[in-house]
Amino acid sequence: MEIIENKETRPLDFIRQIIADDLQTGKHQGTVTRFPPEPNGFLHIGHAKSICLNFGIAEENHGRCNLRFDDTNPSKEDVAYVESIQKDVQWLGFDWGEKVLYASDYFPQLHAYAVELIQIGKAYVCQLLPDEIRQYRGTLTEPGKESPYRNRSVAENLQLFEQMKNGEFEEGTHVLRAKIDMASPNLNMRDPVIYRILKAHHHRTGATWKIYPMYDYTHCLSDMLEGITHSLCTLEFQDHRPLYDWVLDTLNTPCHPRQIEFARLNLTYTVMSKRKLLKMVEGRYVEGWDDPRMLTISGLRRRGYTPASIRNFARTIGIGKSESRIDMGVLENEIRNDLNLRADRRMCVLDPVKVIIDNYPEGLIEEMVGKNHPQDPAMGERMLPFSKELYIERDDFMENPSKKYHRLGPGREVRLRYGYLIQYVSHVTDETTGKITEIHCTYDPETKSGSAPDGRKVKGTIHWVSAEKGLPVTVRLYDRLFKVEDPEADKAVDFLEQLNPMSRVIISGAVAEPSLAALQPGETVQFERQGYFCADPLESKIGRPVLNRTVTLRDSWESKGQL
Ligand code: ATP
Ligand code: MG
């Protein structure tokens, strides 16, 4: 796969700086990072930021980045998610080496470490109920209270933990807790639960385990077991770092990865949490995780985004330590920049009205030549059949045009892209609907090159398609999924009420130039004057294209409204 990337010329971000320093001082001989998704949903553009960071750093330093599924919560996880996540990471152009890793592969080691914690008096089995544990934990202003089970003997703890493991207790009746400090100002350090009983089927280990390790406990140890040098995560884990370090220090592990936090990506006009995306999928507000309006990687792919555009986006927004919301326009610009270079130009009339060229010979079809790219001759040409009857865009004609309107209207002459100049003669209006049904014109046979030999100026150029030879296509005009910048800002309003009702407009009467019949599913073209459109990878067929609008040609959201 070809990935166009700009050479890095900016100063290093703070994470890359730390890593460069660690290599320079000899603290580390190489760099090992990891991307640790939980297989409980599809990846979204926020994950792409993390993927580009982790895999990008590994690439730049000739290191390694592991793909590790954090699969410690069997009730919410699914193999379908595992598969989609691998596909997405690969599609973005990254390589995790020999094999995919799973936290569940470490269950035996994690269990052994838990036993060790018990043996050194640093973990205990607690029988408080979940609600009681919460109450005992205290608040930010009040210290917690010690559990009455905190000072059991090592032998009793070992015995009970073994019974938990063997499935002798019911869910919620016993947990294993780290013995740290119930008075710590950091709530995460108040004897956090590290193992719970769950009698669920795990997608990899089946019914082997009746107890599952908690995320914080699992994560640091998995990082350590893989020899991760830098464990990069989002800011909400900052308060968990003392626990990350406590587990590794207390167990005196052979290596101790460094956790570094960065700000997560938030984007305008979307929501990012998997929980909310799942709600949209399950409530059928969208067609699925890969609906082209979803900011999931699979949705973006179907919409026509390229891996390069997403990687460039990640580079453009950079890495920082403070939360912010990036304008959706930044992402849209990246795909425009990319497609502007690589998309073939085509003509398609979305809202056709018929033009009849009165003086054009009946039955004659001429082949006009259109460039696939105006600046890049290497991209070649295609033939455009020209005939007596054509379609043009309904809004390229006005009965009473203003001075600034340079397209077709009474008394006007206009240029047909790669075709002749045509001159208005008359038009026909349907009396019942008030709609214009035909526009009659004449053409100037001397203007096949697009200009008049007598030098007369024609300002407007419009696109067109032969009525006889044109290909009917289905076009879906996609737009932003939400109508407000921050759908979660108003806590009194459900984010689902902020959905943009115009986020998908299906157009069935569009007609495209015949070359569109050869369009491969997944291929993207620019419809001149309209935007970039991708042949839907799943629904488009050779000869019967279904086109998804990837993005308009310019940022028209503010000026033109939602279409
Ligand atoms: P969500 O909050 O969307 O449900 P998550 O954090 O629960 O996502 P994980 O599967 O745990 O999803 O995420 C895998 C990795 O991706 C984590 O390291 C996480 O920090 C990172 N990540 C998730 N969302 C973002 C985001 N919006 N920006 C940057 N990184 C993110
Ligand atoms: Mg998570």
Side-chain angles (χ1 to χ4, degrees):
M1 180 189 317
E2 183 204 10
I3 303 219
I4 297 176
E5 285 178 298
N6 319 318
K7 267 263 169 281
E8 193 63 69
T9 48
R10 294 183 303 184
L12 298 180
D13 60 59
F14 78 100
I15 294 180
R16 286 177 164 88
Q17 190 59 58
I18 291 172
I19 290 173
D21 292 346
D22 284 349
L23 288 171
Q24 226 230 318
T25 60
K27 181 176 176 194
H28 296 298
Q29 311 316 313
T31 305
V32 187
T33 54
R34 87 285 169 266
F35 173 64
E38 203 183 328
N40 61 353
F42 280 52
L43 297 181
H44 52 60
I45 184 77
H47 293 114
K49 174 176 178 175
S50 177
I51 292 170
C52 292
L53 178 68
N54 281 293
F55 282 94
I57 283 176
E59 261 176 23
E60 291 150 27
N61 293 291
H62 309 289
R64 192 177 82 227
C65 178
N66 294 343
L67 174 61
R68 182 206 312 145
F69 287 101
D70 236 312
D71 55 349
T72 52
N73 190 5
S75 49
K76 291 204 175 134
E77 294 160 5
D78 197 286
V79 254
Y81 296 137
V82 170
E83 282 160 14
S84 78
I85 289 170
Q86 294 185 47
K87 180 175 174 184
D88 289 348
V89 173
Q90 264 168 339
W91 179 76
L92 281 173
F94 295 112
D95 178 9
W96 53 79
E98 268 164 42
K99 63 179 179 110
V100 175
L101 303 171
Y102 296 84
S104 57
D105 291 340
Y106 310 133
F107 282 170
Q109 282 129 299
L110 297 173
H111 175 260
Y113 277 118
V115 170
E116 194 180 328
L117 281 179
I118 295 175
Q119 281 165 339
I120 59 174
K122 293 294 184 186
Y124 61 97
V125 172
C126 179
Q127 279 162 259
L128 289 177
L129 297 173
D131 263 351
E132 292 172 321
I133 293 186
R134 253 190 301 279
Q135 282 164 21
Y136 274 63
R137 186 155 48 213
T139 62
L140 281 175
T141 49
E142 281 169 47
K145 228 169 50 181
E146 293 191 352
S147 159
Y149 306 100
R150 197 172 199 259
N151 297 311
R152 290 189 206 271
S153 69
V154 168
E156 196 183 350
N157 278 319
L158 287 172
Q159 169 69 29
L160 287 168
F161 189 48
E162 181 65 17
Q163 286 177 285
M164 282 171 64
K165 175 171 173 264
N166 294 339
E168 292 175 31
F169 303 130
E170 292 309 309
E171 287 185 13
T173 59
H174 296 66
V175 289
L176 185 70
R177 298 177 70 174
K179 193 170 177 176
I180 310 180
D181 178 7
M182 289 307 291
S184 169
N186 183 339
L187 268 69
N188 294 310
M189 298 299 272
R190 295 185 187 172
D191 290 9
V193 173
I194 57 175
Y195 262 94
R196 67 213 192 282
I197 300 170
L198 263 184
K199 298 187 175 167
H201 178 89
H202 188 279
H203 68 106
R204 283 177 64 80
T205 59
T208 309
W209 293 90
K210 314 286 186 254
I211 52 171
Y212 288 90
M214 301 298 288
Y215 176 85
D216 282 332
Y217 173 75
T218 309
H219 202 80
C220 53
L221 287 172
S222 308
D223 282 349
M224 182 275 295
L225 289 167
E226 290 174 13
I228 302 299
T229 55
H230 300 85
S231 179
L232 314 178
C233 62
T234 34
L235 284 178
E236 68 273 19
F237 290 102
Q238 196 160 357
D239 289 345
H240 297 243
R241 187 177 354 120
L243 178 55
Y244 185 104
D245 290 333
W246 181 91
V247 173
L248 298 180
D249 287 340
T250 306
L251 287 166
N252 197 15
T253 53
C255 80
H256 188 140
R258 172 167 177 193
Q259 175 178 309
I260 309 171
E261 307 87 15
F262 64 94
R264 61 171 47 231
L265 168 66
N266 298 304
L267 260 186
T268 57
Y269 299 99
T270 191
V271 295
M272 206 71 95
S273 113
K274 275 187 277 190
R275 199 173 49 79
K276 290 187 173 153
L277 298 179
L278 180 64
K279 219 168 165 183
M280 289 195 282
V281 172
E282 287 183 336
R284 305 207 51 81
Y285 294 93
V286 291
E287 305 274 311
W289 283 100
D290 65 349
D291 185 299
R293 289 165 291 183
M294 292 277 269
L295 270 286
T296 52
I297 297 183
S298 49
L300 289 165
R301 176 164 61 234
R302 250 186 110 173
R303 177 86 170 250
Y305 275 74
T306 57
S309 67
I310 296 174
R311 290 173 69 146
N312 287 338
F313 171 69
R315 178 178 292 104
T316 301
I317 60 174
I319 297 294
K321 280 192 248 195
S322 53
E323 291 284 355
S324 64
R325 190 171 280 274
I326 305 286
D327 194 301
M328 180 73 87
V330 177
L331 177 62
E332 290 168 348
N333 260 333
E334 290 298 343
I335 188 62
R336 272 189 206 107
N337 291 342
D338 191 35
L339 293 177
N340 180 35
L341 298 175
R342 55 173 107 198
D344 280 341
R345 271 48 173 178
R346 294 290 180 261
M347 294 201 282
C348 177
V349 178
L350 298 181
D351 183 13
V353 61
K354 191 171 268 183
V355 167
I356 300 166
I357 303 174
D358 295 336
N359 61 339
Y360 195 81
E362 199 81 50
L364 176 65
I365 304 271
E366 280 183 274
E367 295 283 358
M368 314 306 252
V369 179
K371 292 177 190 162
N372 286 335
H373 194 288
Q375 281 94 38
D376 186 357
M379 286 175 69
E381 299 170 333
R382 85 280 187 192
M383 293 301 172
L384 296 160
F386 189 92
S387 54
K388 187 179 177 77
E389 296 197 356
L390 309 171
Y391 290 120
I392 64 164
E393 216 65 68
R394 191 165 283 281
D395 71 3
D396 280 339
F397 176 80
M398 260 181 110
E399 271 182 291
N400 301 298
S402 71
K403 265 209 147 131
K404 284 194 183 141
Y405 186 90
H406 298 304
R407 296 171 261 164
L408 199 57
R412 299 297 181 87
E413 187 174 36
V414 76
R415 177 182 300 103
L416 296 174
R417 177 78 158 153
Y418 300 122
Y420 295 100
L421 302 188
I422 57 169
Q423 171 83 47
Y424 169 90
V425 176
S426 64
H427 66 276
V428 181
T429 307
D430 181 316
E431 280 182 15
T432 48
T433 62
K435 266 189 135 180
I436 293 167
T437 52
E438 301 183 344
I439 303 162
H440 287 262
C441 294
T442 53
Y443 84 117
D444 178 349
E446 302 298 310
T447 58
K448 195 169 178 181
S449 65
S451 55
D454 64 7
R456 70 181 186 276
K457 289 274 174 284
V458 173
K459 278 196 175 154
T461 302
I462 63 176
H463 61 276
W464 55 275
V465 165
S466 156
E468 283 101 312
K469 298 283 182 186
L471 179 76
V473 291
T474 301
V475 175
R476 302 188 287 211
L477 300 179
Y478 286 111
D479 212 324
R480 297 173 180 182
L481 191 47
F482 290 91
K483 57 191 177 194
V484 294
E485 278 199 15
D486 181 0
E488 293 153 307
D490 186 347
K491 298 289 172 241
V493 181
D494 187 358
F495 77 101
L496 292 167
E497 284 172 33
Q498 308 278 22
L499 285 164
N500 172 12
M502 301 294 278
S503 64
R504 183 182 64 181
V505 174
I506 300 180
I507 295 189
S508 51
V511 186
E513 58 170 88
S515 70
L516 259 283
L519 200 65
Q520 299 284 338
E523 203 179 328
T524 301
V525 291
Q526 184 198 90
F527 284 155
E528 297 209 31
R529 303 173 66 219
Q530 305 283 10
Y532 294 98
F533 291 77
C534 173
D536 191 287
L538 305 177
E539 293 169 34
S540 194
K541 303 261 178 319
I542 301 277
R544 288 188 48 208
V546 177
L547 293 138
N548 300 333
R549 181 169 67 193
T550 310
V551 67
T552 53
L553 289 182
R554 274 172 297 277
D555 187 355
S556 53
W557 180 261
E558 301 301 337
S559 56
K560 265 179 78 185
Q562 299 172 359
L563 254 185

